[in-house]
Amino acid sequence: MFEKPLGMRDTLPRLYETKAAARDKISTEIKKWGYQFIETPALEYYETVGEASAILDQQLFKLLDQQGHTLVLRPDMTAPIARAAASKILKEQVPLRLAYSANVYRAQQREGGRPAEFEQIGIECIGNGSISADAEMITLMADVLLAAGLKDFKISIGHIGFLQELFLSILGNEERASVLRKFLYEKNYVGYREHVKSLPLSSIDKQRLIAFISLRGGEDTISRALELLENSVGQETLTELKELAQQLKAYGVEEYVSFDLTLVSHMSYYTGTLFEVYAGEVGSPIGNGGRYDNLLAKFGWNAPATGFAIRMDRLVEAVGSVDENNETQCILFSSERRNDAISTARALRAQGKSVALQDINSVTNVDAYTASFAEVQFFVGNGDSKK
Amino acid sequence: MNSFLTIAMPKGRIFEEAAELLRKAGFQLPPEFDDSRKLILEVEEENLRFILAKPMDVVTYVEHGVADIGIAGKDVMLEEERDVYELLDLKISACYLAVAGLPGTKISDISPKVASKYPNVASSYFRQQGEQVEIIKLNGSIELAPLIGLAERIVDIVSTGQTLKENGLVEYAKITDVTSRLVANPVSYRIKEQRITEIVDRLAEII
């Protein structure tokens, strides 16, 4: 056995076929919505794409090029696409609808069980700051998951703007708000509540902050959030969420969504609505996305943008079934009947069948070799037999 | 969707207090719960499944989602830094993490060494103090390390201070208070939202 670096995995034929089938279904669906697929390089400059990415620095694979520049293996696709989109050619067709399916790299510090290289399939909608774009992201994500054969999933939608405005209005400045936001980001509700108790605030304001962490559930969450507001600050974001909920109903995907205003997937990356998607048996989100209106500006183009990415490894795990059907046929031949074998194989391939053409003299164990094929034909000696 | 809720319970010291807390909150736990050697116990009436894990491993099971929620010490959470929700301070098994060593000793200037079962906690504590030390990971009986000269300091859990005293060690600094916490897997927390919220509420009432 030769070891692989931590977190690196092989994809063997059966899993490959399962993934490929899911990828096909998903990309077909994405194309139906008018998105165009692009590819970007696996290596990017650390100073530009590496810095702009939402992924933590310690998770980046870094290396040096011949001139000593620091490079990174792309940790996500959003930053590379933002870089490419900001180029002249693509800027002409705004709003831009781009899609990708690519491997991304995130170093693992600890144990196995989590891949350091995995495929993401996703879209970015650039230059469209409207709620319609947010609704399109969430709807298309639901459609894509359904197309891939996933039935049981739940999309949680949050809005970083609401949390930010609520915190700022109660706490007064960004420094204090970011301390509280960090507790949410770290999922530490005990620490959050203790910190709120220790703050020099009125008991009403403390109660508002404590009540905030239970703002999740159905559409009523939005009206419960409204009750936490004292004046118009923060109302606009809730109006946006209500509008989003309406549009999702128009698309007919409301059964898959719920609202969670405590959702903080990143300390500073997202600027508006954000969402994560969960499936029952998989312990981590299978995909996520949101609005990131500040990213493009880092590449010299001040444009709003939103998108989502689905993790293929987790999706395949969630769908559960590995494609067991091997449709491939096998023709085993001996040299005197080579011509028969070749023409039969050619005819079958012309019908769209997959055929492995194998010289029987090179097979040491015929039973083991032929076991996995759907059908086996022998072109051996003078007779013609079928197994 | 699977309506069974899986709870990871820590074996050993914390277990009894945790089980008592759950009973007080009105959960029907099996009578064989306390002295069973089984690692998985189901309570069908409550649709609950308990797994009994090493305290250090509870957060690992929860992070990977094979347990929906769990009861874990804050010490373990600080050490492991797993991606789980910390929902509730159960206020049981109170103790604290502390730095200890032989009385009247200093950390060596030549090769400063600290032994601990909590290498991450120890290393981040001494980094905050601006002290460069080397951490040696031990799995138990940490008090031995200063006694036989493996390290000048140890970082360990202190509950009564009795073990330190019996071994002639003194406490040099308190790092942080520790109690057990109710933790949840991020996906379970959303997919099994109602059940988990109900458990949190029932427990919160009696704490």
Side-chain angles (χ1 to χ4, degrees), chain A residues 15-47:
Chain A
L15 180 57
Y16 181 91
E17 287 305 327
T18 310
K19 269 169 82 173
R23 188 188 304 122
D24 276 357
K25 291 174 192 156
I26 292 174
S27 47
T28 307
E29 190 64 29
I30 287 174
K31 283 181 202 156
K32 281 185 193 162
W33 286 64
Y35 286 78
Q36 292 175 299
F37 275 81
I38 69 167
E39 283 181 343
T40 67
L43 288 175
E44 296 272 1
Y45 282 120
Y46 170 66
E47 280 177 23

Coordinates of all heavy atoms in Angstrom, one line a residue, chain A residues 15-47:
Chain A
L15 N -17.9 4.6 -7.6 CA -18.2 6.0 -7.1 C -18.1 7.0 -8.2 O -18.9 8.0 -8.3 CB -17.2 6.3 -5.9 CG -17.4 7.6 -5.3 CD1 -18.8 7.8 -4.8 CD2 -16.4 7.8 -4.1
Y16 N -17.1 6.8 -9.1 CA -16.9 7.8 -10.2 C -18.2 7.9 -11.0 O -18.7 9.0 -11.3 CB -15.7 7.3 -11.1 CG -15.5 8.3 -12.2 CD1 -14.6 9.4 -12.1 CD2 -16.2 8.1 -13.4 CE1 -14.5 10.3 -13.1 CE2 -16.0 9.0 -14.4 CZ -15.2 10.1 -14.3 OH -15.0 11.0 -15.3
E17 N -18.8 6.7 -11.3 CA -20.0 6.7 -12.2 C -21.1 7.4 -11.4 O -21.9 8.1 -12.0 CB -20.4 5.2 -12.5 CG -19.5 4.6 -13.5 CD -19.3 5.4 -14.8 OE1 -20.3 6.1 -15.2 OE2 -18.2 5.4 -15.4
T18 N -21.2 7.1 -10.1 CA -22.3 7.7 -9.3 C -22.2 9.2 -9.4 O -23.1 10.0 -9.6 CB -22.3 7.2 -7.9 OG1 -22.2 5.8 -7.9 CG2 -23.5 7.7 -7.1
K19 N -20.9 9.7 -9.1 CA -20.7 11.1 -9.1 C -20.9 11.7 -10.5 O -21.5 12.8 -10.6 CB -19.2 11.4 -8.7 CG -19.1 11.6 -7.2 CD -17.6 11.6 -6.8 CE -16.9 13.0 -7.0 NZ -15.5 12.9 -6.4
A20 N -20.4 11.0 -11.5 CA -20.6 11.6 -12.9 C -22.1 11.7 -13.2 O -22.5 12.7 -13.9 CB -19.9 10.6 -13.9
A21 N -22.9 10.7 -12.8 CA -24.3 10.7 -13.2 C -24.9 11.9 -12.5 O -25.7 12.7 -13.1 CB -25.0 9.4 -12.7
A22 N -24.6 12.1 -11.2 CA -25.1 13.3 -10.4 C -24.7 14.6 -11.1 O -25.5 15.5 -11.2 CB -24.7 13.2 -9.0
R23 N -23.4 14.6 -11.4 CA -22.9 15.9 -12.1 C -23.6 16.2 -13.3 O -23.9 17.3 -13.6 CB -21.4 15.7 -12.3 CG -20.7 16.9 -12.8 CD -19.2 16.6 -13.2 NE -18.5 16.0 -12.2 CZ -17.9 14.8 -12.3 NH1 -17.9 14.1 -13.5 NH2 -17.2 14.3 -11.3
D24 N -23.9 15.1 -14.1 CA -24.6 15.3 -15.4 C -26.0 16.0 -15.2 O -26.4 16.9 -15.8 CB -24.8 14.0 -16.1 CG -23.6 13.6 -16.9 OD1 -22.7 14.4 -17.0 OD2 -23.6 12.5 -17.5
K25 N -26.7 15.3 -14.2 CA -28.0 15.8 -13.9 C -28.0 17.3 -13.5 O -28.8 18.1 -13.9 CB -28.7 15.0 -12.9 CG -29.0 13.5 -13.4 CD -29.6 12.7 -12.2 CE -29.6 11.2 -12.6 NZ -29.5 10.4 -11.4
I26 N -27.0 17.6 -12.6 CA -27.0 18.9 -12.0 C -26.6 19.9 -13.1 O -27.2 21.0 -13.2 CB -26.0 18.9 -10.8 CG1 -26.5 18.1 -9.7 CG2 -25.7 20.4 -10.4 CD1 -25.6 17.9 -8.5
S27 N -25.6 19.6 -13.9 CA -25.2 20.6 -14.9 C -26.2 20.8 -15.9 O -26.4 21.9 -16.4 CB -23.8 20.3 -15.4 OG -23.7 19.0 -15.8
T28 N -26.9 19.7 -16.3 CA -28.0 19.9 -17.2 C -29.1 20.9 -16.7 O -29.5 21.8 -17.4 CB -28.8 18.6 -17.5 OG1 -27.8 17.6 -17.8 CG2 -29.8 18.7 -18.6
E29 N -29.4 20.7 -15.4 CA -30.4 21.6 -14.8 C -29.9 23.1 -14.7 O -30.6 24.0 -15.1 CB -30.7 21.1 -13.3 CG -31.8 21.8 -12.6 CD -33.2 21.6 -13.3 OE1 -33.3 20.5 -14.0 OE2 -34.0 22.5 -13.2
I30 N -28.6 23.2 -14.4 CA -28.0 24.6 -14.3 C -28.0 25.3 -15.7 O -28.3 26.4 -15.8 CB -26.6 24.5 -13.7 CG1 -26.6 24.2 -12.2 CG2 -25.8 25.8 -13.9 CD1 -25.3 23.9 -11.6
K31 N -27.7 24.5 -16.7 CA -27.7 25.1 -18.1 C -29.1 25.5 -18.5 O -29.2 26.5 -19.2 CB -27.1 24.1 -19.1 CG -25.6 23.9 -19.0 CD -25.1 22.9 -20.1 CE -23.8 22.4 -19.7 NZ -23.5 21.1 -20.3
K32 N -30.1 24.7 -18.0 CA -31.5 25.1 -18.4 C -31.8 26.5 -17.8 O -32.8 27.1 -18.3 CB -32.4 24.1 -17.8 CG -32.5 22.8 -18.5 CD -33.6 21.9 -17.9 CE -33.5 20.5 -18.5 NZ -34.3 19.6 -17.6
W33 N -31.1 26.9 -16.8 CA -31.4 28.2 -16.3 C -30.5 29.3 -16.9 O -30.5 30.4 -16.4 CB -31.2 28.2 -14.8 CG -32.3 27.5 -14.0 CD1 -32.6 26.2 -14.1 CD2 -33.2 28.1 -13.1 NE1 -33.7 25.9 -13.2 CE2 -34.0 27.1 -12.6 CE3 -33.4 29.4 -12.6 CZ2 -35.1 27.3 -11.7 CZ3 -34.4 29.6 -11.6 CH2 -35.2 28.6 -11.2
G34 N -29.9 29.0 -18.0 CA -29.1 30.0 -18.7 C -27.7 30.3 -18.2 O -27.1 31.3 -18.5
Y35 N -27.2 29.4 -17.4 CA -25.8 29.6 -16.9 C -24.8 28.9 -17.8 O -25.0 27.9 -18.4 CB -25.7 29.0 -15.4 CG -26.4 29.8 -14.4 CD1 -27.8 29.8 -14.3 CD2 -25.7 30.7 -13.6 CE1 -28.4 30.6 -13.4 CE2 -26.3 31.5 -12.7 CZ -27.7 31.5 -12.6 OH -28.3 32.3 -11.7
Q36 N -23.6 29.6 -17.9 CA -22.6 29.1 -18.7 C -21.4 28.6 -17.9 O -21.0 29.3 -17.0 CB -22.1 30.2 -19.7 CG -23.1 30.6 -20.7 CD -22.6 31.8 -21.5 OE1 -22.4 32.9 -21.0 NE2 -22.5 31.6 -22.8
F37 N -21.0 27.4 -18.2 CA -19.9 26.8 -17.4 C -18.5 27.4 -17.8 O -18.3 27.6 -19.0 CB -19.8 25.3 -17.6 CG -20.8 24.6 -16.6 CD1 -22.1 24.5 -16.9 CD2 -20.3 24.1 -15.4 CE1 -23.0 23.9 -16.0 CE2 -21.2 23.5 -14.5 CZ -22.5 23.4 -14.8
I38 N -17.7 27.6 -16.8 CA -16.3 28.0 -17.2 C -15.3 27.2 -16.3 O -15.7 26.6 -15.3 CB -16.1 29.6 -17.0 CG1 -16.1 30.0 -15.5 CG2 -17.1 30.4 -17.7 CD1 -15.6 31.4 -15.2
E39 N -14.0 27.3 -16.7 CA -13.0 26.7 -15.9 C -12.0 27.7 -15.6 O -11.7 28.6 -16.4 CB -12.3 25.5 -16.7 CG -13.1 24.3 -16.8 CD -12.4 23.2 -17.6 OE1 -11.5 23.5 -18.4 OE2 -12.8 22.0 -17.5
T40 N -11.4 27.6 -14.4 CA -10.3 28.5 -14.1 C -9.1 27.6 -13.6 O -9.3 26.4 -13.3 CB -10.7 29.4 -12.9 OG1 -10.9 28.7 -11.7 CG2 -11.9 30.2 -13.3
P41 N -7.9 28.1 -13.5 CA -6.8 27.3 -13.1 C -6.8 26.8 -11.6 O -7.4 27.5 -10.8 CB -5.6 28.2 -13.3 CG -6.1 29.6 -13.4 CD -7.5 29.5 -13.9
A42 N -6.2 25.7 -11.4 CA -6.1 25.2 -10.0 C -5.2 26.0 -9.1 O -5.4 26.2 -7.9 CB -5.7 23.7 -10.0
L43 N -4.2 26.7 -9.7 CA -3.3 27.5 -9.0 C -3.6 29.0 -9.2 O -3.9 29.4 -10.3 CB -1.9 27.2 -9.4 CG -1.2 25.9 -9.0 CD1 0.1 25.7 -9.6 CD2 -1.2 25.8 -7.5
E44 N -3.6 29.7 -8.1 CA -3.9 31.1 -8.1 C -2.8 31.8 -7.3 O -2.2 31.2 -6.4 CB -5.3 31.5 -7.6 CG -6.4 30.9 -8.4 CD -6.9 31.8 -9.6 OE1 -6.3 32.9 -9.7 OE2 -7.8 31.4 -10.3
Y45 N -2.7 33.2 -7.4 CA -1.8 33.9 -6.5 C -2.4 34.0 -5.1 O -3.6 34.3 -5.0 CB -1.5 35.3 -7.0 CG -0.5 35.3 -8.1 CD1 -0.8 35.8 -9.4 CD2 0.8 34.8 -7.9 CE1 0.1 35.8 -10.4 CE2 1.7 34.8 -8.9 CZ 1.4 35.3 -10.2 OH 2.3 35.2 -11.2
Y46 N -1.6 33.8 -4.1 CA -2.0 33.9 -2.7 C -2.5 35.3 -2.5 O -3.5 35.6 -1.8 CB -0.9 33.5 -1.8 CG -1.2 33.8 -0.3 CD1 -2.2 33.2 0.4 CD2 -0.4 34.8 0.3 CE1 -2.4 33.5 1.7 CE2 -0.7 35.1 1.7 CZ -1.7 34.4 2.3 OH -1.9 34.7 3.6
E47 N -1.7 36.3 -3.0 CA -2.0 37.7 -2.6 C -3.4 38.2 -3.2 O -4.0 39.1 -2.6 CB -0.9 38.6 -3.2 CG 0.3 38.6 -2.3 CD 1.4 39.5 -2.9 OE1 1.1 40.4 -3.8 OE2 2.6 39.2 -2.6

